[in-house]
Amino acid sequence: MTDSGAAGSWRDTDLPTAERVADLMARMSLREKVAQMYGAWLNVDDTAGEVAPHQNDQAPDPIDWPELIRHGLGQVTRVYGSAPVEPSAGARRVADLQRQIVAAGRFGIPAIVHEECLTGLAAWKAPIFPAPLSWGASFDPRLVERMGAHIGATMRRLGIHQGLAPVLDVTRDLRWGRVEETISEDPYLVGTIGAAYVRGLQSAGVIATLKHFVGYSSSRAGRNLAPVSAGPREVADVLLPPFEMALRAGARSVMNNYTDIDGVPVAADASLLTEVLRERLGFDGTVVSDYFAIAFLETLHGVAADRGEAAVTALRAGIDIELPGVNCYGGPLLKALEAGDVDEALVDRAVERILRQKCELGLLDAAWEPDPEYLTAAGPAAELDDAEARELARTLAERSVVLLRNSSALPLRPGTRLAVVGPGAGGPESLFGCYSFPRHVGVHHPALELGVAAPSIVDALRADFEVEYELGCPALGGDDEGIAAAARAAAGADVCVAVLGDLAGLFGLGTSGEGCDAGDLRLPGRQEELLEALLATGTPVVLVVLAGRPYELSRQVDRLAAAVCAFFPGEEGATALAGVLTGRVNPSGRLPVGFPAAGASQPSTYLAAKLGRRNEVSNVDPSQLFPFGHGLSYADATWGAVTLHSTDGWATDGEVELTVPLSNETDRDVSTVVQVYAHDPVASVARPVQFLVAAPRVDLAPGESRTLVITLHADLLSYTGRDGRRVVEPGDVELLVARSSTDTHTALRVPMVGPSRQVGAARRLHPTVTLLP
C-alpha cells in the first residue's frame, strides 16, 4: 500500500481508461483486489422459495457486512428483485448501501448493482414485457431494441448498472423448462433478436450479460443442468453464433453455462471461457459466474475437492466475478494465493477487467453520486409502468401472436356468445414468464398486489362480447366436475375460446420455467382431457395456447375451428390476444419454434440434417405440425416474382442479391416476414437441410407496394469443416425464399464459385436489407 488511496490519477477523467485502471491497481493490496471479485446478496427473502438452483444449501456464508466491505466490494445482488420492495425504497436502499461501501474502503469504489431483466426489470411495479419466445415470434429486432432501451433506462434511473439478460441459448429440446427464456430454435434469429436487445439495453448505459455461455439448452433429455453431449461442430455452428452476434453488438458481460460439455463443466473450461470467448472472439469485458456455479464445481460436478480448488479452477478458466455472493472467491481464494496454488497474475487479469468496467460506468469518477436518479423524480416521472412502457408491451405482444390455424372462425363476429374456459383465461398469471417478478418472487407472497395493471383474457373479451367463464381445470390437477362445467358452458355458447397451456414457475412450482422440465409434450395435467370434452360438445372451439413451449396438438388440430399461440405475452398480452380474436389486430407473428407433430416425446427442431428428418429407415416421424416460421394472417402481402442478381455465380468471397416485390392489395395494414433459407446439397460434413440466413419483416399500408432487396454474403453459408475450421466451399447452393420453413415461395439454385475459403470471427454475420419504393 503506497497511500491512503482516495487521491490519484485514477480519478482523472481526462486520462484513458487503461491508465486510470493501472494507476488504481498499483495502489491496491491483494486483499482489496480480491474484494472486487465477488458480490453480496443481502436481502434474500427467507420466507420465500428458491429463485436460484440450490439456493438454500449453497447460500453464501452469513455476512458480517462491515467486515465484508472493509476492503471494497465488486457487486451488490438484486436489491429490487429478491423480495417485494417499493421502487423508492429500493432506490434509497441502493444509495445507502453504496454510501456504506464507499465509506468503508480506502479507495471509495462503489459496487456494480445487478438485477434480472429478461421480461423487463424483475422488480415490483416495473413493466412486464413479453417473454423472449415472443421476441422471436415478432421477427422484429427494431421493436425488441426499443424495448431493451426502455428497460435499460428504467434500470439506470434506479441505480442499477448491469442486467442479467439476454438468454442466447438456442432451443434444442422443447421439454427443457427454460425454453420460454430462449428466443428461437434457429441461431440466426436468436442472434439477430438478442443483439438488438443488447444494443437497446446498453444504449441506456446498462451492461448486458449474455447467458448462458455456452450449450446450456442442449442438456440431455431437456433436463435442467443435465450433462451436454454436443460435439464441437454443433457448438461452433449452432450454439456459438448468437453469442458472436451479440458480442459484435457490443455486449460487455458474459455469464457461464452451468452444465458440463462432454464431461468438462463450462465454469472450469478455459478452452471456452478464454480461448474461444476472448482469444478467438475478442471479448474484453467481464465473465460473471451464474449463481453458485463456482461452488457447484465442488458440490455438483465433483471436479474440485473444496471451495479453494473450485475458486482456483474457475479463475484459471476465466471467470472474473463470483455471483450472487462470496462462497469461493473470498477466504478460500486468498488461502490458495497464500499457498502459491494460483498465480496472482490471474487475480490482476480479472480485476483489471472489473475496474475497467467500473471506470466505463463512471463509478471511478470523483463526481459520482450514490443517489439514483429515481429519487429526484416526481409525479409521473417516478412511475415505472408508464404509458410508453405499456405501448411497447402491447405492440410487441400484438406482433408476436401467431395464428396457427383458421377455418373462418376468426375474427370472431360481433354478437357472438362466448364460453371462455381454461386455466389461462381467468387471471393474469398465465401471461407472465418465470423471470417476471410476479412468477419469480411475487408467487411466494400471495397477499401481494400484482403491482401493474394486467387484464385477464376474460376481462379483455368482455369489452366486446357476452362471456360465460369456467375454469375447467387448473394448469395441473383439477376434477371431473370442473371439466363438466366447462363443457356445459361451451355447449350453450356460439363459440368456445379455450385458453390452455402453462403456468410459469421455478423448480417444480410451474409447468414451464427454470427447473420445470416436461416428461413429454402433451398439454400439462388434465388440459387435453378438457379440450376433448369441449370438442365433444360440437360448439366451434378456438384454442389459445398461452405457454412457454409448443405442445403436441396432433390429436385435436383437425377438429379445432382455429388455433392461436402466444408465448407469455406480458402485461398487455390479454389485450393483444383480444385484438387478434376480434380482428382489431391483424395477426403477423411467426413461430420461432415449431410445434411437434404426433409423438409427444419428439423434441426435434427444424434445424436437422437429412437423416434427422422423416426418412425410410425409422418409423418415427419428427416433422413439425406447425413448422418453424409458420404464421397466418387475416390479410397478407402479395409476393411477386423473386429475382436473383448473379452474373457468373456466387463467389466464395462475394455477394448475391435477391429482390422481392411486395404489395398490399387489401384494405388494412399488413406485415409480412420474408424468410430466406439456404440449402447446401453437397458439403464435406452432414449439414442441416436448410437454415435461415435472412428474415426481414416488412409493413405495408393498404395499396402500398415496395421492393425488398436482400444482399447475402457468402460468409453466411460458412460452416465448420472436417478439420475444425470454418470454411466457405464452392458448389451449388439453393436459396429458398419462403413464408415458413416448409412453405417455399421461390427456390433459386446458384453455383458458388471460386476456391474454398477459410473464415473466422470477423466474417459477415448478417445480410444487408434495403426497402425500395
Side-chain angles (χ1 to χ4, degrees):
M1 291 183 285
T2 60
D3 61 13
S4 63
S9 60
W10 62 275
R11 289 289 196 190
D12 188 347
T13 57
D14 292 329
L15 290 178
T17 297
E19 288 187 27
R20 295 176 65 187
V21 170
D23 177 71
L24 177 56
M25 288 185 64
R27 301 167 186 269
M28 297 173 75
S29 68
L30 178 61
R31 182 66 187 83
E32 288 167 330
K33 292 175 182 177
V34 169
Q36 294 295 316
M37 296 172 59
Y38 49 74
W41 199 0
L42 296 175
N43 56 336
V44 185
D45 188 351
D46 294 332
T47 68
E50 290 185 283
V51 297
H54 290 268
Q55 177 180 316
N56 292 332
D57 55 89
Q58 291 294 338
D61 295 332
I63 292 175
D64 180 341
W65 177 246
E67 177 61 26
L68 181 70
I69 62 175
R70 186 161 65 90
H71 301 285
L73 183 66
Q75 296 217 3
V76 171
T77 294
R78 295 175 66 171
V79 174
Y80 298 90
S82 299
V85 58
E86 285 280 357
S88 57
R92 287 192 295 271
R93 175 69 165 156
V94 166
D96 182 55
L97 290 173
Q98 293 284 35
R99 285 192 174 90
Q100 293 178 49
I101 293 164
V102 166
R106 281 198 307 143
F107 299 96
I109 304 171
I112 287 175
V113 179
H114 77 258
E115 294 283 350
E116 297 286 357
C117 58
L118 191 62
T119 60
L121 172 63
W124 192 41
K125 297 190 175 181
I128 304 170
F129 293 98
L133 270 185
S134 286
W135 311 354
S138 77
F139 278 74
D140 194 339
R142 289 188 182 89
L143 184 56
V144 171
E145 184 171 344
R146 284 180 57 204
M147 177 194 70
H150 192 282
I151 294 170
T154 298
M155 296 173 75
R156 191 69 178 180
R157 286 168 57 205
L158 291 168
I160 302 163
H161 309 98
Q162 183 165 359
L164 304 187
V167 170
L168 298 182
D169 300 307
V170 179
T171 310
R172 302 299 284 164
D173 189 324
L174 297 176
R175 297 171 295 181
W176 190 44
R178 302 190 79 167
V179 165
E180 65 168 77
E181 300 177 49
T182 69
I183 294 169
S184 173
E185 66 186 61
D186 182 89
Y188 170 80
L189 183 57
V190 175
T192 300
I193 297 292
Y197 179 92
V198 168
R199 287 192 298 270
L201 193 77
Q202 295 197 162
S203 71
V206 173
I207 296 167
T209 308
L210 311 183
K211 303 178 353 182
H212 305 85
F213 191 86
V214 61
Y216 190 17
S217 56
S218 295
S219 56
R220 290 180 197 156
R223 296 180 62 247
N224 195 36
L225 270 67
V228 171
S229 301
R233 184 167 290 102
E234 180 179 349
V235 172
D237 291 354
V238 178
L239 304 176
L240 270 177
F243 289 92
E244 296 183 73
M245 292 180 176
L247 291 174
R248 193 82 62 87
R252 300 301 297 140
S253 192
V254 169
M255 176 180 279
N256 72 283
N257 161 24
Y258 277 129
T259 72
D260 73 77
I261 300 179
D262 194 26
V264 181
V266 172
D269 195 345
S271 68
L272 286 173
L273 296 180
T274 298
E275 293 173 22
V276 171
L277 180 60
R278 296 194 182 277
E279 296 171 10
R280 189 189 309 171
L281 301 182
F283 177 63
D284 66 353
T286 56
V287 174
V288 300
S289 78
D290 205 341
Y291 284 16
F292 312 120
I294 299 176
F296 287 168
L297 295 177
E298 175 199 2
T299 60
L300 297 187
H301 291 293
V303 298
D306 53 35
R307 289 182 176 185
E309 187 175 354
V312 170
T313 301
L315 184 60
R316 284 175 176 160
I319 293 181
D320 303 312
I321 303 168
E322 180 179 23
L323 297 181
V326 54
N327 286 73
C328 304
Y329 271 13
L333 177 57
L334 286 168
K335 289 180 181 178
L337 286 160
E338 291 170 6
D341 295 335
V342 60
D343 191 341
E344 187 176 336
L346 293 178
V347 171
D348 287 342
R349 180 180 73 174
V351 173
E352 189 276 333
R353 296 165 181 162
I354 295 164
L355 293 178
R356 178 159 27 91
Q357 203 153 79
K358 289 192 173 187
C359 189
E360 293 166 352
L361 290 166
L363 299 180
L364 302 188
D365 298 353
W368 175 84
E369 291 290 341
D371 287 336
E373 177 190 335
Y374 187 83
L375 292 178
T376 64
E383 184 180 358
L384 300 184
D385 192 29
D386 56 18
E388 180 185 358
R390 299 197 69 85
E391 183 274 329
L392 273 170
R394 178 184 52 78
T395 303
L396 182 53
E398 288 175 349
R399 288 169 80 85
S400 65
V401 173
V402 183
L403 179 58
L404 300 172
R405 171 186 171 87
N406 189 20
S407 58
S408 300
L410 295 178
L412 295 170
R413 293 163 181 79
T416 301
R417 292 178 301 119
L418 295 181
V420 181
V421 304
E429 299 84 6
S430 295
L431 301 171
F432 307 139
C434 75
Y435 268 77
S436 67
F437 189 84
R439 303 307 306 162
H440 201 77
V441 177
V443 67
H444 303 295
H445 301 266
L448 184 72
E449 294 180 359
L450 190 61
V452 296
S456 69
I457 292 177
V458 168
D459 293 334
L461 287 173
R462 276 184 173 148
D464 294 284
F465 300 98
E466 177 188 338
V467 171
E468 181 179 356
Y469 164 67
E470 287 287 346
L471 172 65
C473 65
L476 291 173
D479 54 38
D480 293 347
E481 177 51 37
I483 293 175
R488 288 193 296 270
D494 298 325
V495 173
C496 175
V497 176
V499 188
L500 309 181
D502 283 317
L503 181 65
L506 297 173
F507 310 112
L509 295 182
T511 60
S512 172
E514 185 173 359
C516 296
D517 309 316
D520 62 46
L521 295 172
R522 295 179 179 88
L523 286 166
R526 301 187 67 178
Q527 292 184 67
E528 185 171 340
E529 186 179 347
L530 171 61
L531 181 56
E532 287 289 354
L534 300 175
L535 289 166
T537 66
T539 298
V541 175
V542 174
L543 174 64
V544 176
V545 179
L546 198 56
R549 63 164 67 84
Y551 282 103
E552 198 255 297
L553 305 172
S554 63
R555 288 169 296 282
Q556 295 84 29
V557 66
D558 291 336
R559 292 176 284 154
L560 295 172
V564 171
C565 174
F567 297 109
F568 292 140
E571 63 184 32
E572 286 287 327
T575 303
L577 280 162
V580 168
L581 294 175
T582 61
R584 286 192 299 271
V585 174
N586 183 23
S588 60
R590 303 292 186 264
L591 285 178
V593 285
F595 273 64
S601 61
Q602 282 294 306
S604 302
T605 73
Y606 96 98
L607 202 67
K610 192 171 184 179
L611 285 174
R613 297 206 170 186
R614 182 178 182 177
N615 56 60
E616 296 179 355
V617 297
S618 173
N619 65 321
V620 175
D621 181 3
S623 300
Q624 295 177 328
L625 176 66
F626 297 118
F628 172 83
H630 169 74
L632 305 176
S633 299
Y634 301 142
D636 200 0
T638 299
W639 297 19
V642 179
T643 303
L644 173 66
H645 301 276
S646 172
T647 53
D648 299 314
W650 188 355
T652 54
D653 62 352
E655 297 176 332
V656 295
E657 186 178 276
L658 296 170
T659 58
V660 187
L662 300 169
S663 61
N664 180 3
E665 300 172 1
T666 77
D667 61 357
R668 65 184 305 172
D669 292 341
V670 302
S671 187
T672 195
V673 179
V674 179
Q675 301 166 43
V676 182
Y677 298 87
H679 169 54
D680 190 353
V682 180
S684 58
V685 301
R687 302 205 63 202
V689 172
Q690 65 193 98
F691 51 96
L692 194 67
V693 293
R697 179 191 266 264
V698 179
D699 298 335
L700 297 171
E704 185 179 12
S705 295
R706 305 290 294 271
T707 298
L708 179 67
V709 181
I710 304 172
T711 304
L712 303 171
H713 194 278
D715 287 358
L716 296 174
L717 273 68
S718 65
Y719 65 94
T720 303
R722 294 186 186 183
D723 62 359
R725 299 178 182 179
R726 184 172 286 275
V727 65
V728 179
E729 292 182 331
D732 285 350
V733 297
E734 194 171 33
L735 296 175
L736 310 173
V737 181
R739 299 179 185 273
S740 78
S741 57
T742 62
D743 183 3
T744 299
H745 173 70
T746 303
L748 300 163
R749 187 173 288 264
V750 58
M752 186 161 282
V753 297
S756 180
R757 183 175 66 92
Q758 288 185 7
V759 299
R763 70 190 186 281
R764 303 274 189 92
L765 298 175
H766 297 278
T768 301
V769 176
T770 307
L771 198 58
L772 302 177

